[in-house]
Amino acid sequence: MSIMYKPNLSVAIVQSTIDSSIAWNPLSANVPEMTSTEAKRAWNEIMVAISGYNNLSESARPEIIVLPELTIASQYEYRIKDLAKQVGAIIIGGCDFKYIDDNNIINRGIISIPKYWPHGHGQGHPRNVHFGKKNPAEIEEGYIKAIPTKSGKGEMSFWPCKEVFIIDLGEYGKIGISICADFYDIERYAYFKGRIQHLFIIAYNQDIKSFYYLAEAISRLVFCNVVICNTGHYGGSIAFTLYKEDYKRYIYKHEGAGLCTSQVINLPVDDFVKAQHKYGDAVKMFKSAPPGYDYKYADPNLNVKKIKVEK
C-alpha cells in the first residue's frame, strides 16, 4: 500500500428534526420547498450542533459532518461552506427539493469541502459538489406528482440522478454516498464493492428497522463501514463496522423519535484497509471479506464520479 492511512476517520452525525407533514405541502406558495418555519427551525438545530464542534479542541473536532436528507433549505444552502470552514470539516447533507425545469423536481445533496481540509492543514481549495438521488420513495413521489406543473400541462415528475459518487479522502479512505431509498439500489453496490472503506447514507426514513438490517448486510457484501444519518423526526441513525467482536460492531445507534441529537464517532481506517488487502494481523480484527472480494479502486473502466479531496 502506497498511502500511509490514518487510524480513524472522525465523523459527526447530526439529526435535525423536520416534520414532513408540516414542511411540505404540494399546494403551498413556496412549493416544492419546505415552509419557512420548518426551514428556520432545522437550520437552528444545525447551527447549535456545529457551534458545539467549534468549541472543541482541534484533535476532538470531526473531519466529516453528516446531515440528514432534505434538511438544508435553499435559503441557507449558501451558508454551508462557511460552516465547513469554521469547523475545518467536510459537510455532507441533504438539500431541499428543487425544480429542474417546468415538469421535473430533483432531490439532491451537497458536499462542501473547506479550504485546507482537514482543520486548515491540507492544501486543497474550497468547493461545493452536488449529488442526486436516483430512486424516490413512494411518499416522496406522491408529493411530487401532486404538485401542479408550471406549464399547467402534464404531471410533475421526479428527476433521477444516475451518477454514482465516491469521495477520495486520501489517507482517510474513500466514501461512497447515497440518499435514502437508493440504499435499496443493488446495482450501486457492484460499483462500491472493493472500492470504498466507508458508505454514508443520508435519509428521511420511517422504516428504521429495515435500514438496520440492510446496514449489516451491505456492510458484509461491500465490506465497508456504514453510516446512516437519518432525520431526528424518526431517529435511527447508526454507525456500523465489521469488527470480529459483535459488541464492537455498532459504533453508534440512536433510537427515539423527535430528538435533535449530534454525536462524534470514529470509523477505523488503517486497520480496515489492511484487512481489505488481507495484510498482516489486521485481518484477524474484522469479519472475513465476502467471497471473490478484491480491492480494485483503480479500475479504469469504473463508471463512477470520483471527487478527490486534496491534502
Side-chain angles (χ1 to χ4, degrees):
M1 295 181 293
S2 58
I3 299 176
M4 296 293 292
Y5 288 93
K6 294 288 187 179
N8 300 295
L9 173 65
S10 180
V11 179
I13 301 172
V14 179
Q15 284 193 165
S16 56
T17 58
I18 292 176
D19 184 342
S20 61
S21 65
I22 299 173
W24 293 285
N25 183 334
L27 300 179
S28 69
N30 59 330
V31 71
E33 299 177 1
M34 70 180 81
T35 60
S36 59
T37 52
E38 281 295 278
K40 183 176 181 180
R41 191 174 63 79
W43 182 253
N44 287 339
E45 291 175 339
I46 293 169
M47 291 290 290
V48 168
I50 292 181
S51 65
Y53 303 142
N54 285 330
N55 296 327
L56 297 175
S57 64
E58 183 179 304
S59 61
R61 291 185 182 185
E63 279 93 40
I64 307 284
I65 299 172
V66 191
L67 307 173
E69 177 188 19
L70 295 170
T71 201
I72 306 168
S74 59
Q75 62 264 44
Y76 300 113
E77 189 176 327
Y78 77 97
R79 296 175 62 181
I80 287 294
K81 64 180 181 181
D82 295 326
L83 295 184
K85 179 181 177 181
Q86 289 174 23
V87 186
I90 295 171
I91 296 179
I92 302 172
C95 302
D96 201 358
F97 291 113
K98 182 178 181 179
Y99 283 118
I100 290 295
D101 54 35
D102 288 353
N103 298 298
N104 292 281
I105 290 172
I106 194 170
N107 178 344
R108 63 180 189 164
I110 188 171
I111 305 163
S112 186
I113 305 167
K115 189 175 184 179
Y116 305 146
W117 180 85
H119 311 308
H121 298 299
Q123 298 178 356
H125 300 286
R127 55 181 169 144
N128 288 345
V129 179
H130 286 94
F131 61 100
K133 186 177 185 179
K134 179 182 177 183
N135 304 289
E138 185 176 345
I139 294 176
E140 178 182 10
E141 188 171 33
Y143 164 70
I144 291 173
K145 286 183 175 181
I147 298 172
T149 61
K150 289 185 176 181
S151 64
K153 299 178 181 179
E155 187 176 65
M156 192 66 72
S157 298
F158 178 88
W159 184 270
C161 175
K162 298 181 181 179
E163 294 178 307
V164 177
F165 286 76
I166 292 178
I167 309 172
D168 186 348
L169 301 179
E171 61 194 358
Y172 289 94
K174 298 174 181 67
I175 301 174
I177 50 176
S178 294
I179 302 177
C180 204
D182 287 345
F183 200 20
Y184 295 102
D185 182 12
I186 299 300
E187 291 181 357
R188 69 182 52 221
Y189 301 119
Y191 289 113
F192 287 149
K193 185 177 178 180
R195 296 180 173 106
I196 61 173
Q197 283 73 50
H198 322 289
L199 175 60
F200 287 6
I201 310 296
I202 60 173
Y204 195 102
N205 174 51
Q206 185 174 359
D207 188 8
I208 60 174
K209 292 292 186 183
S210 291
F211 266 30
Y212 291 161
Y213 304 139
L214 196 57
E216 294 194 38
I218 297 302
S219 182
R220 289 297 304 273
L221 292 171
V222 179
F223 202 49
C224 65
N225 303 313
V226 174
V227 171
I228 299 175
C229 181
N230 197 30
T231 173
H233 186 63
Y234 297 122
S237 293
I238 66 169
F240 183 86
T241 192
L242 287 168
Y243 283 120
K244 186 79 73 175
E245 300 92 341
D246 180 71
Y247 72 93
K248 289 184 178 180
R249 291 177 202 158
Y250 274 101
I251 298 173
Y252 174 69
K253 186 175 185 180
H254 175 84
E255 293 190 343
L259 299 174
C260 176
T261 65
S262 64
Q263 181 67 49
V264 180
I265 57 98
N266 288 318
L267 300 174
V269 181
D270 183 56
D271 286 332
F272 193 67
V273 172
K274 290 175 180 175
Q276 287 180 319
H277 287 81
K278 302 177 182 178
Y279 177 79
D281 292 337
V283 175
K284 301 176 183 178
M285 297 174 60
F286 299 92
K287 298 287 287 183
S288 299
Y293 179 86
D294 181 31
Y295 194 75
K296 51 191 175 184
Y297 179 73
D299 183 353
N301 297 317
L302 181 61
N303 184 26
V304 171
K305 187 165 184 178
K306 301 175 186 176
I307 304 166
K308 185 170 178 59
V309 180
E310 298 177 1
K311 285 196 77 273

